[in-house]
Amino acid sequence: MGFAFGFVLFALGITVSVALHECGHMWAAQATGMKVRRYFVGFGPKVWSFRRGETEYGVKALPLGGFCDIAGMTALDELEPEELDRAMYRQATWKRLLVMIGGILMNFLLGFLLIVLLAVAWGLPRLDSPPATQIFPAGCVAAQNPDGSAAPCTGEGPAQVAGLKRGDLVTAVDGSPIKSWDQFKARTEAATGPVTYTIRRDGQSMDVKVLPERVATYPVDPATKVRSATPVLVGKVGVGQDYYDPQKYNVLAALPASASFTGDMFGKTFESLAQMPTKVVNLWHAVTGGVRDPDTPVSVYGASKIGGETAEHGMWGAFVLVLASLNFFLGAFNLLPLLPLDGGHIAVVLYEKLRNSLRGRRGLSPGAPVDYLKLLPATYVVVVIGGAYMILTVAADIVNPIKLFP
């Protein structure tokens, strides 16, 4: 029930995010005197609607987005005679830009408000991670059940008994240097007797001898993804990778802290956006049976699944953070100067402004609005490529989803 509730709640959060994106366009258009003919959440057959003033508001059957119908968004739109003077394409450049960026700003604002909520209710995590081999003694060593879950255990684990502490950085195992968690894990699991960890604590190096416990595990074959039915004995010491605890703030302190955190997230969001084309190979590898790279993009289904998992484990802070990240990504993605995205329309408006400024310097009248029919081939290319990418991402999320919890 926890997973299903979280899945539906996150999907609803996505729907609200998209609906507010379209509200950003609508409110900006209404504020600048343009006519908004329709505002709908969803696509497909109309389920319900009502009219207030000159705008029809409603809901459609497929909750996969939404739209805001502004009269004269392009010169191709059919207009009633009374709509001609209010047509969007005939308005001042600043008004058109405000309308097109309104949805993007709404997503950024919603993301920021979610970060403020996170800061006050659960605390802001750090976006960086401790060194790979910095440890966190987690307690007793649990054997693994055949289904992969952990069996009950009590008491201190070998790491705690040996005196290891949270924040200790393991630099070598039995004198052999290590740099990754996989190296630490492999050498610990292979041990059949005491091992010596070389650690750094408070700027000093020291050796700590630890006696791993041999416990049963049921490993998963990386090629077939099938869990072995035969247990394997491995050495465990009861540690995990260290992490930074979130920091909570009061309401006033949360605002500047959230602004700084949002700035860091913007950097990571645009970095992820720039890497999207390079992730195609990784997504295809995941669909065809390879290991899923956790840094690959996720679809709406995949994001909702992650939301369901965080809710199931009671990690509501992570739930809110993922939803905020999605809003930042949605806003950044719409900034791309490609039709039919908002950024593509912004690029057209800026082109017309620059072109008319150059014509004015030459004593010429403003040129005609950009002919969107000539841009259709490029638009179709973007739609086809974007659609194929989306299908690939959905397939990866179904066949080989990202798993936050083993």
Side-chain angles (χ1 to χ4, degrees), residues 285-308:
H285 182 63
V287 171
T288 55
V291 177
R292 179 73 182 268
D293 182 352
D295 289 331
T296 49
V298 295
S299 62
V300 170
Y301 168 79
S304 299
K305 188 174 183 298
I306 291 173

Side-chain angles (χ1 to χ4, degrees), residues 242-327:
D242 198 11
Y243 58 91
Y244 293 127
D245 291 316
Q247 183 175 353
K248 294 180 69 173
Y249 299 85
N250 60 41
V251 176
L252 290 179
L255 294 177
S258 298
S260 176
F261 187 85
T262 297
D264 293 337
M265 286 199 70
F266 272 151
K268 290 188 175 294
T269 298
F270 284 102
E271 182 180 330
S272 298
L273 194 61
Q275 293 175 350
M276 278 187 67
T278 67
K279 299 297 183 180
V280 173
V281 174
N282 292 340
L283 284 170
W284 181 254
H285 182 63
V287 171
T288 55
V291 177
R292 179 73 182 268
D293 182 352
D295 289 331
T296 49
V298 295
S299 62
V300 170
Y301 168 79
S304 299
K305 188 174 183 298
I306 291 173
E309 290 182 352
T310 56
E312 183 180 25
H313 287 77
M315 299 178 63
W316 290 104
F319 182 98
V320 172
L321 179 60
V322 174
L323 187 57
S325 300
L326 186 71
N327 272 276

Side-chain angles (χ1 to χ4, degrees), residues 55-400:
T55 305
E56 180 185 10
Y57 303 86
V59 176
K60 297 207 169 189
L62 302 176
L64 301 176
F67 66 91
C68 172
D69 177 17
I70 303 172
M73 186 170 178
T74 74
L76 298 177
D77 285 1
E78 294 184 4
L79 298 170
E80 298 295 333
E82 65 273 12
E83 295 175 337
L84 189 60
D85 289 339
R86 299 174 65 191
M88 181 174 170
Y89 76 88
R90 302 186 67 178
Q91 304 304 307
T93 298
W94 72 268
K95 292 183 178 182
R96 296 169 67 189
L97 289 176
L98 181 62
V99 170
M100 294 316 307
I101 205 170
I104 296 170
L105 292 178
M106 184 61 70
N107 284 125
F108 290 159
L109 176 61
L110 180 57
F112 175 73
L113 293 177
L114 287 169
I115 294 300
V116 173
L117 172 64
L118 179 66
V120 174
W122 295 280
L124 294 179
R126 286 179 54 167
L127 295 179
D128 58 339
S129 300
T133 58
Q134 187 168 310
I135 61 172
F136 178 84
C140 61
V141 173
Q144 194 176 55
N145 294 319
D147 63 357
S149 61
C153 68
T154 59
E156 293 185 330
Q160 291 174 313
V161 171
L164 290 173
K165 298 180 180 180
R166 182 178 184 180
D168 287 344
L169 178 64
V170 182
T171 59
V173 177
D174 286 334
S176 299
I178 61 169
K179 293 184 178 180
S180 70
W181 183 256
D182 287 341
Q183 289 176 323
F184 171 80
K185 182 180 177 182
R187 292 177 186 175
T188 299
E189 290 184 347
T192 57
V195 294
T196 299
Y197 294 147
T198 302
I199 66 169
R200 288 194 65 80
R201 179 189 298 171
D202 298 329
Q204 297 186 355
S205 181
M206 64 182 71
D207 290 336
V208 178
K209 184 172 289 188
V210 185
L211 179 61
E213 290 184 24
R214 302 286 289 177
V215 295
T217 62
Y218 295 82
V220 175
D221 188 317
T224 64
K225 306 293 182 182
V226 176
R227 188 175 298 279
S228 172
T230 304
V232 176
L233 291 178
V234 299
K236 299 282 187 181
V237 294
V239 298
Q241 286 182 282
D242 198 11
Y243 58 91
Y244 293 127
D245 291 316
Q247 183 175 353
K248 294 180 69 173
Y249 299 85
N250 60 41
V251 176
L252 290 179
L255 294 177
S258 298
S260 176
F261 187 85
T262 297
D264 293 337
M265 286 199 70
F266 272 151
K268 290 188 175 294
T269 298
F270 284 102
E271 182 180 330
S272 298
L273 194 61
Q275 293 175 350
M276 278 187 67
T278 67
K279 299 297 183 180
V280 173
V281 174
N282 292 340
L283 284 170
W284 181 254
H285 182 63
V287 171
T288 55
V291 177
R292 179 73 182 268
D293 182 352
D295 289 331
T296 49
V298 295
S299 62
V300 170
Y301 168 79
S304 299
K305 188 174 183 298
I306 291 173
E309 290 182 352
T310 56
E312 183 180 25
H313 287 77
M315 299 178 63
W316 290 104
F319 182 98
V320 172
L321 179 60
V322 174
L323 187 57
S325 300
L326 186 71
N327 272 276
F328 290 137
F329 185 83
L330 182 60
F333 185 75
N334 268 286
L335 277 173
L336 292 177
L338 302 170
L339 290 170
L341 302 177
D342 295 338
H345 292 285
I346 291 172
V348 169
V349 173
L350 293 176
Y351 164 76
E352 289 182 350
K353 178 63 176 178
L354 177 61
R355 179 203 60 188
N356 290 339
S357 296
L358 294 176
R359 288 176 63 89
R361 291 180 180 180
R362 293 157 51 195
L364 301 175
S365 61
V370 165
D371 186 354
Y372 273 75
L373 287 176
K374 294 181 179 179
L375 299 177
L376 279 180
T379 304
Y380 289 147
V381 169
V382 173
V383 170
V384 170
I385 293 176
Y389 198 100
M390 181 182 68
I391 292 172
L392 181 62
T393 305
V394 171
D397 288 334
I398 294 174
V399 175
N400 193 354

